[in-house]
Amino acid sequence: MHTITSIIKVEPYTIVVNFDGKEKRKIKFDSLLADFPILKNEKIFCLATLDDYPTIKWDGLAKIRELDGSLNPGPLDFSPDTLYGLSEPYQ
């Protein structure tokens, strides 16, 4: 299992990160934009941060159904292993 230990650079639809504290990789989100159209907005995309898991997240872009049935905003995030699979080495 991979972890993202830091975000190095965020550009529209591409994020450079450190995986496992030692490997710099570039993640291209182009293949995910069709399923998550909110991320097509460059200003929103560039608000990416690191959460406690740790992986990349965007606050408030997902909906979480609570036990009482109500929907509340939650973070949109992706498995770090999925992101690793989308990434390529970065120098």
Side-chain angles (χ1 to χ4, degrees):
M1 184 171 110
H2 295 284
T3 58
I4 297 173
T5 54
S6 64
I7 295 174
I8 298 169
K9 179 169 53 169
V10 178
E11 298 174 337
Y13 320 126
T14 302
I15 300 177
V16 179
V17 299
N18 273 318
F19 272 99
D20 306 318
K22 60 183 183 261
E23 189 177 2
K24 288 184 185 176
R25 295 185 68 89
K26 177 170 59 172
I27 307 164
K28 295 181 181 180
F29 283 81
D30 298 343
S31 64
L32 298 172
L33 295 178
D35 293 327
F36 300 95
I38 189 73
L39 294 180
K40 289 180 182 179
N41 180 314
E42 290 181 11
K43 289 181 183 177
I44 290 174
F45 185 89
C46 289
L47 295 175
T49 60
L50 199 61
D51 70 8
D52 295 335
Y53 184 62
T55 192
I56 295 170
K57 72 169 179 170
W58 289 267
D59 285 323
L61 297 187
K63 300 289 183 201
I64 297 175
R65 186 169 304 278
E66 302 295 341
L67 292 175
D68 65 4
S70 64
L71 286 176
N72 291 314
L76 172 62
D77 61 7
F78 297 93
S79 158
D81 289 328
T82 297
L83 296 177
Y84 189 89
L86 294 173
S87 70
E88 58 188 47
Y90 180 79
Q91 304 321 356

